[in-house]
Amino acid sequence: MYEAADREGRAHRIAVVGGGPRGMAVLERLAARLADGPSPEGPVEIHLIDARTLAGGRVWRADQPDWFLMNTAAGEITMFSGPPDGGPTRPGAGPSFAQWWTGADPSSASPEGYAPRALYGRYLEHVLHSVERSLPSGARLHRVLDSVDDMERTAAGYALSLARGGTLTVDKVVLATGHTLPALGEAEQRLSDFARERPHLRYIRGDSAADMPLDSVPATAVVGIIGLGLSFIDVVFALTVGRGGEFAETGAGDGRVVYRPGGREPVLVAGSRSGMPVLSRGFDQRPAGAVRKPVLFTEARVLSGADRESLDFRRDVFPLLAAEMDLAHHATSLRLRRGPAAEAGFLRELTAVAEHGDPDVCGLAARHGIGEHEHFDFRASLRPFAGQDFPDQEAFQKELTQQLRTDISRTERGNHEDPFKAAVQVIRDTRSVIRSLVDYGGLQARSHEHDLIRWFSPASVFLAAGPPLHRARCILALIESGVLRVVGPGAGFAADPACDRFVMESPQVGNSRTEVDVLIDGRVPIPDVATDTSPLTRRLLARGIWTEFVNRRGPEPFHSGGVAITEVPFHPINLDGVPDTGLYVIGIPTEHTRWGTQVGNGTPGPWNKFIRHADAIAEHALTRRAR
């Protein structure tokens, strides 16, 4: 039980609910502002609350296995809002993740490396310790290892009901609750019910792989995995490396690996709509924090040719994004083929044409010697097996491994030396432009739902947010070893009472029907505040403190699944349509109100929006309001 004494207004009390990166970023800026002064009137008490671990939350906790890796290179991450300055590590002056990793484990650290999530959890613990050490007199941090199950507005402030008993009353609350679990959809519920009625079957719902009961999967089982994205890779590693298997280099000197089974792996069969595992991320040869400035895809250019009040993603936004990707693809091709001068000449001519309208990028590239079959095709890249039929699994696996080798070769060349990887890197580099156009219902409701969330968001992850190179090599090695098989494109998953098992099958691959004993949903659940099973979310909605953001641009409204919030500092909008200025909601709960909230970390160098947003929340949260 945790009890907080009533301080009769003498202390300003702030609760940060969630110990993941976003909660930690706000905490770091709270501490930095308190240390820099001027000091607020009276004492300040900060309560950091998380049920799993106070530094990392459940996704980044330090006690998970090392085979679960981060998906961002260490050199691109910092949780300190300023670099080391020769003094003690403290909020506003501390090491980037890569610098800290180098000190903690110099034998394996690399700025280009992808560290275990558990190691990042240790880094967050380092940040938390630095916060505690640096707080000035009059400021105190309380560690609360518990979950908040309810919150109510009272005359004394916000009363937080804790799961283990007790009530904590505070003046401001930062809600950085991260990933929670929505209720199962109809299709998933049918699969779950089918397994529940049959003791010999298992259905494991989608979640963070570290929280899935994968240790209980028998080695003798045939395991089906829904999806071929990042979570699929985590599941596969847990059932292979986590069962004693290991990867070893072939000795050819080209980085290729082979898989050596541990003997306790189940048979793994996976599938998705594309039939292709998520593409690996191109090696980034640019300095940390460097981003290519767009020439064509800018907010001003999009809005110059479109009505802001009726913006459509496919019609108004995507064509210029596609043109920017074409530009990157062709410029890289010309540089590789004819040298930097050819690239510079192409870009000069294109920029001159762009001053008078939207240029025909591919037409201009053709005049510079790019052939008609050398263009970047966004849509075809999403479905590499479209229109193809395979007589059997062997024929499909042969084509699949060739596609994987092609992607690995592109990744090895990197986003500066490979035209394809240069093109898809544009998606990552222009996230801020996309957000400026689509956040807070910037699109028509139908386009928001169908074009952005259902089409472009998963497409952007498939093309530009995949695993590091070594992981891609490992997936190829598992397929070549026979431990892992991909059933094919357009994969379907069903419960079949006739055979009393789950079945999966690709309509494009002959004899692909496979019966499985354990079916694992290897997809990250889509955030949806309306179906969230978290007690806190349900009660915040029931009390009208939180509401769902509804995009009403168009004849049919779109209920987004994200919490309705203001712009920075992200106050939730209550049932009366009024922002609650004592509350702040950041990260996953606001997904679809804002776009791409699952991408979250500070970057070394000038503040990015992640740190600027954390600072804005900290500044506002430290402001006392009249009682």
Side-chain angles (χ1 to χ4, degrees):
M1 178 181 290
Y2 181 89
E3 293 285 353
D6 179 13
R7 302 188 179 273
E8 299 178 352
R10 290 173 296 180
H12 183 60
R13 302 155 298 180
I14 302 168
V16 178
V17 183
R22 284 185 172 81
M24 198 61 59
V26 173
L27 182 65
E28 194 265 358
R29 287 309 305 157
L30 286 169
R33 282 183 166 274
L34 287 167
D36 289 345
S39 178
E41 297 177 6
V44 174
E45 297 194 356
I46 303 170
H47 305 266
L48 177 62
I49 308 170
D50 197 291
R52 297 296 292 270
T53 176
L54 293 170
R58 74 184 187 104
V59 172
W60 304 105
R61 64 184 190 272
D63 63 352
Q64 61 189 298
D66 281 347
W67 53 76
F68 296 127
L69 295 188
M70 301 184 70
N71 200 44
T72 303
E76 300 175 17
I77 301 170
T78 187
M79 286 301 300
F80 287 96
S81 52
D85 60 2
T89 295
R90 62 195 186 281
S96 70
F97 179 46
Q99 291 169 330
W100 176 87
W101 187 11
T102 298
D105 185 10
S107 63
S108 63
S110 167
E112 297 81 27
Y114 291 76
R117 291 177 201 158
L119 188 71
Y120 188 53
R122 287 175 52 199
Y123 174 64
L124 293 175
E125 289 176 350
H126 176 71
V127 176
L128 178 57
H129 290 316
S130 76
V131 166
E132 289 181 307
R133 290 194 304 266
S134 70
L135 286 175
S137 60
R140 183 182 176 191
L141 177 66
H142 301 268
R143 293 180 175 227
V144 185
L145 193 62
D146 205 340
S147 60
V148 179
D149 281 354
D150 196 4
M151 182 172 69
E152 186 176 6
R153 184 80 178 265
T154 70
Y158 298 94
L160 310 182
S161 299
L162 302 176
R164 296 176 185 173
T167 299
L168 173 65
T169 301
V170 297
D171 302 292
K172 303 285 183 74
V173 184
V174 180
L175 293 159
T177 49
H179 289 274
T180 55
L181 291 177
L184 292 177
E186 291 183 12
E188 291 77 17
Q189 190 63 58
R190 285 195 297 270
L191 296 171
S192 178
D193 292 343
F194 186 76
R196 188 178 298 111
E197 297 163 359
R198 294 163 175 81
H200 60 287
L201 300 182
R202 290 285 307 279
Y203 171 77
I204 299 177
R205 66 162 300 161
D207 195 0
S208 169
D211 288 324
M212 290 180 173
L214 299 177
D215 288 345
S216 65
V217 175
T220 55
V222 178
V223 176
I225 306 174
I226 303 173
L228 292 169
L230 292 170
S231 186
F232 146 79
I233 294 174
D234 287 341
V235 169
V236 166
F237 266 71
L239 295 174
T240 52
V241 176
R243 298 293 180 95
E246 62 180 12
F247 295 94
E249 292 195 9
T250 62
D254 57 3
R256 286 186 299 168
V257 297
V258 294
Y259 180 69
R260 296 172 178 167
R264 297 184 292 117
E265 302 91 339
V267 175
L268 303 176
V269 187
S272 69
R273 286 176 295 179
S274 73
M276 180 75 182
V278 58
L279 302 185
S280 50
R281 185 176 301 182
F283 176 64
D284 195 347
Q285 294 111 333
R286 304 171 303 178
V291 174
R292 179 182 170 277
K293 185 177 180 180
V295 176
L296 302 175
F297 183 52
T298 65
E299 181 181 9
R301 185 176 286 273
V302 171
L303 296 180
S304 69
D307 180 0
R308 188 58 156 123
E309 297 304 311
S310 59
L311 205 62
D312 181 279
F313 188 83
R314 285 187 192 254
R315 182 191 66 209
D316 303 318
V317 179
F318 182 74
L320 283 172
L321 173 58
E324 193 72 44
M325 288 189 279
D326 288 336
L327 184 159
H329 187 277
H330 296 321
T332 305
S333 295
L334 285 167
R335 173 168 35 82
L336 295 174
R337 184 177 305 174
R338 293 164 43 199
E343 176 188 30
F346 169 70
L347 292 175
R348 276 197 305 271
E349 186 175 350
L350 185 142
T351 302
V353 174
E355 292 178 357
H356 306 287
D358 295 336
D360 176 4
V361 179
C362 293
L364 180 60
R367 293 198 294 275
H368 282 255
I370 298 294
E372 62 178 315
H373 300 298
E374 299 179 77
H375 302 307
F376 174 71
D377 191 330
F378 182 91
R379 291 174 174 82
S381 300
L382 301 176
R383 298 289 184 267
F385 308 111
Q388 300 182 61
D389 291 314
F390 303 89
D392 51 35
Q393 281 279 292
E394 183 179 357
F396 173 69
Q397 300 301 314
K398 182 178 179 180
E399 177 63 21
L400 172 64
T401 55
Q402 183 55 49
Q403 291 277 357
L404 287 169
R405 291 190 188 101
T406 297
D407 180 59
I408 288 170
S409 295
R410 289 168 168 170
T411 298
E412 290 170 339
R413 289 190 291 269
N415 60 25
H416 186 66
E417 301 296 329
D418 182 82
F420 183 92
K421 294 301 180 181
V424 298
Q425 178 66 33
V426 168
I427 299 172
R428 298 177 59 82
D429 289 346
T430 60
R431 282 173 178 157
S432 62
V433 179
I434 297 171
R435 292 184 180 116
S436 71
L437 294 164
V438 307
D439 282 0
Y440 302 100
L443 300 172
Q444 285 282 293
R446 179 174 177 78
S447 184
H448 185 181
E449 177 182 7
H450 294 279
D451 299 337
L452 179 67
I453 294 176
R454 294 191 181 182
W455 176 64
F456 180 73
S457 289
S460 67
V461 171
F462 176 77
L463 292 174
L469 175 60
H470 181 69
R471 287 292 209 200
R473 288 172 173 160
C474 291
I475 292 298
L476 176 59
L478 286 168
I479 292 172
E480 291 176 331
S481 73
V483 172
L484 171 65
R485 176 165 59 87
V486 176
V487 73
F493 305 84
D496 188 349
C499 66
D500 216 30
R501 298 174 83 188
F502 295 113
V503 295
M504 50 196 298
E505 185 173 16
S506 167
Q508 293 174 235
V509 180
N511 300 315
S512 63
R513 177 184 165 94
T514 304
E515 297 178 359
V516 300
D517 313 298
V518 179
L519 187 61
I520 301 173
D521 194 336
R523 300 168 296 180
V524 176
I526 297 173
D528 184 355
V529 68
T531 63
D532 193 341
T533 58
S534 159
L536 177 61
T537 299
R538 294 202 307 269
R539 286 164 184 156
L540 288 173
L541 289 171
R543 292 186 184 280
I545 297 172
W546 276 9
T547 57
E548 181 180 9
F549 174 72
V550 181
N551 186 332
R552 302 187 184 279
R553 292 193 177 191
E556 296 292 333
F558 168 48
H559 294 259
S560 71
V563 177
I565 54 171
T566 67
E567 296 195 22
V568 183
F570 309 128
H571 301 304
I573 299 172
N574 65 25
L575 197 59
D576 295 326
V578 178
D580 192 323
T581 57
L583 302 179
Y584 317 86
V585 189
I586 50 174
I588 303 299
T590 67
E591 181 67 21
H592 308 321
T593 306
R594 299 172 63 224
W595 182 74
T597 62
Q598 299 191 45
V599 179
N601 57 262
T603 55
W607 285 7
N608 64 355
K609 284 190 175 181
F610 179 85
I611 296 179
R612 291 202 300 270
H613 290 167
D615 183 64
I617 292 171
E619 179 182 27
H620 195 278
L622 286 169
T623 303
R624 297 169 182 258
R625 51 180 164 185
R627 294 182 180 275

